[in-house]
């Protein structure tokens, strides 16, 4: 015996819509992040002071993370609506390895000990 559908029940289409809206929001964050980086660069150059590179790298990491997540969410939205994908495709959607590890491979026990702002080439 199936239970009757609830009014305004959230289903795959609604979840996909929210994910798509989140992607748009993060894409907007990315644009603001880039503008902030440009403004910081201009102010730093005009002041003649040497910037704290760790802080600037953190802003850059945040900018990249917003961009990556904005790319991932529509792929997930399509999956919910019946367009299957595989984990490799999801991984390739993300440029940042740290996001791949955090969001897709979170159960892996490979912790390389990198902190935000650290650079890993391999």
């Amino acid at each position: 015996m199936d239970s009757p559908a609830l009014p305004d029940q959230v289903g795959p289409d609604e979840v996909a819509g929210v994910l798509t809206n989140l992607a748009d929001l993060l894409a907007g964050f990315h644009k603001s992040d880039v503008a902030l980086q440009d403004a910081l660069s201009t102010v730093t150059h005009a002041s003649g002071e040497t910037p704290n590179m760790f802080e600037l790298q953190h802003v850059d990491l945040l900018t990249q993370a917003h961009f990556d997540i904005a790319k991932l969410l529509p792929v997930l939205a399509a999956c919910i609506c019946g367009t299957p994908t595989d984990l490799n495709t999801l991984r390739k959607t993300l440029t940042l390895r740290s996001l791949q590890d955090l969001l897709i491979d979170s159960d892996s026990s490979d912790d390389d000990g990198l902190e935000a702002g650290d650079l890993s080439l391999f």
Side-chain angles (χ1 to χ4, degrees):
M1 183 184 284
D2 291 333
S3 58
L6 300 172
D8 297 324
Q9 186 172 7
V10 175
D13 290 338
E14 290 78 18
V15 172
V18 170
L19 290 175
T20 301
N21 292 337
L22 280 171
D24 292 343
L25 178 66
L26 287 167
F29 285 171
H30 176 257
K31 288 179 184 177
S32 296
D33 296 339
V34 170
L36 175 62
Q37 285 185 10
D38 289 344
L40 286 172
S41 177
T42 300
V43 167
T44 300
H45 180 69
S47 72
E49 291 188 26
T50 304
N52 181 335
M53 291 308 290
F54 179 77
E55 295 300 326
L56 292 180
Q57 287 175 338
H58 182 72
V59 172
D60 185 56
L61 178 63
L62 184 63
T63 301
Q64 291 178 52
H66 284 154
F67 184 69
D68 259 10
I69 295 169
K71 292 186 309 184
L72 178 68
L73 291 173
V75 176
L76 293 176
C79 288
I80 289 173
C81 290
T83 304
T85 193
D86 58 83
L87 285 176
N88 248 359
T89 301
L90 285 179
R91 283 183 195 99
K92 289 177 183 176
T93 302
L94 297 169
T95 305
L96 293 173
R97 177 58 194 238
S98 60
L99 279 180
Q100 291 175 15
D101 291 344
L102 181 68
L103 298 176
I104 298 169
D105 298 321
S106 61
D107 61 338
S108 72
S109 59
D110 275 346
D111 182 12
D112 57 12
L114 290 178
E115 295 292 323
D118 287 351
L119 177 64
S120 174
L121 298 176
F122 303 100

